[in-house]
Amino acid sequence: MRNAEAFMPPMQVWVGNEPDLQTMAARGTLGAVSGIANVMPRLVQRLVKGSYEPAADQQRVLALLQILGGYGLTAAFKGVMALLDDAPGWMRVRPPLVPLDAEE
């Protein structure tokens, strides 16, 4: 994050690591490149803006990342959808991504 501060401002620095959202919002980030934003866009937006309850929102992000167990976000989100919809077609991903196996 020190590297980001070296360029802020005048350069816009966007967050790419969700656990850094709250910290970077306090430093003036303008946005995020976030996989979690695909399923929780309002939460990511609140964190980027530093609004609502950032500490509680940050804990939600960290809890979700822990639940996903370190798997690639796209494959993990699709795995969750496959379970919720009882639709194995959700498990398909495009290369170079690798789908979760049945055990995962």
Side-chain angles (χ1 to χ4, degrees), residues 2-82:
R2 259 189 312 189
N3 291 337
E5 287 176 338
F7 297 100
M8 295 170 74
M11 185 180 283
Q12 293 182 12
V13 176
W14 287 42
V15 181
N17 181 36
E18 285 89 353
D20 295 334
L21 284 166
Q22 183 181 9
T23 302
M24 291 301 292
R27 291 183 165 98
T29 190
L30 298 176
V33 178
S34 168
I36 290 178
N38 290 297
V39 294
M40 303 171 100
R42 289 183 184 105
L43 178 129
V44 171
Q45 181 183 33
R46 287 193 311 259
L47 281 166
V48 168
K49 290 183 175 185
S51 61
Y52 190 59
E53 295 182 32
D57 285 342
Q58 187 70 24
Q59 286 304 313
R60 290 179 67 198
V61 167
L62 296 175
L64 177 60
L65 291 173
Q66 179 141 5
I67 289 168
L68 297 178
Y71 299 107
L73 285 179
T74 300
F77 288 143
K78 288 180 134 240
V80 169
M81 291 305 299

